[in-house]
Amino acid sequence: MEIKLDDLSGREVAELIREHLQSMALHSPPESIHALGLESLRQPDITFWSAWEGDELAGCGALKELDEQHGEIKSMRTSSSHLRRGVAKRVLQYIIEEARRRGYRRLSLETGSMVAFEPARRLYASFGFAYCDPFSDYVEDSNSVFMTIEL
């Protein structure tokens, strides 16, 4: 698998982000959706990577800089044709390594509290993420859980 910096201009990436947003809309009420669209992912404080198996898009992930010592994981998604092949694990590992390289002391994320998000929560916990209070601009929300890891 090749994980590469991505400018979000490719058709495959646009479709995966669209799929991600649709999935969030299926499982979360509108006020609890914190997933980002293409334009929001193009902001200077966000770095986006795509993961490829040959010429097939396998998944993606992004890292948002909250401050010089704190990053946030965004837009973790595995293509439906690559589920349960370790894509999310590899992308998450890549983002954690990048956060360490940048000198972040903490890496956090928000994900859903519903059953559909249980696999994601288990993945993050397997890497050492622990539940925490809302961070950055987030507020308490019964549809969200917040996780963090000290690097």
Side-chain angles (χ1 to χ4, degrees), residues 83-116:
L83 292 173
R84 288 174 285 289
R85 294 188 189 173
V87 174
K89 184 177 181 179
R90 294 275 306 278
V91 172
L92 180 57
Q93 185 174 5
Y94 190 93
I95 291 172
I96 292 170
E97 289 169 4
E98 175 63 16
R100 285 188 173 122
R101 190 189 67 71
R102 291 181 182 187
Y104 293 166
R105 293 180 180 226
R106 184 173 164 207
L107 189 57
S108 302
L109 62 95
E110 177 276 339
T111 191
S113 63
M114 293 68 98
V115 172

Side-chain angles (χ1 to χ4, degrees), residues 133-150:
D133 291 331
F135 60 92
S136 187
D137 296 331
Y138 292 106
V139 295
E140 278 296 332
D141 179 349
S142 63
N143 298 302
S144 291
V145 296
F146 306 94
M147 301 180 81
T148 196
I149 187 172
E150 298 292 326

Side-chain angles (χ1 to χ4, degrees), residues 52-64:
W52 298 82
E53 287 283 355
D55 61 353
E56 290 184 23
L57 179 61
C60 64
L63 178 58
K64 179 177 182 178

Side-chain angles (χ1 to χ4, degrees), residues 7-10 14 36-46 48:
D7 66 4
L8 296 132
S9 64
L36 302 176
L38 287 173
E39 287 309 311
S40 296
L41 286 167
R42 289 186 177 116
Q43 298 306 307
D45 59 344
I46 297 177
F48 183 88

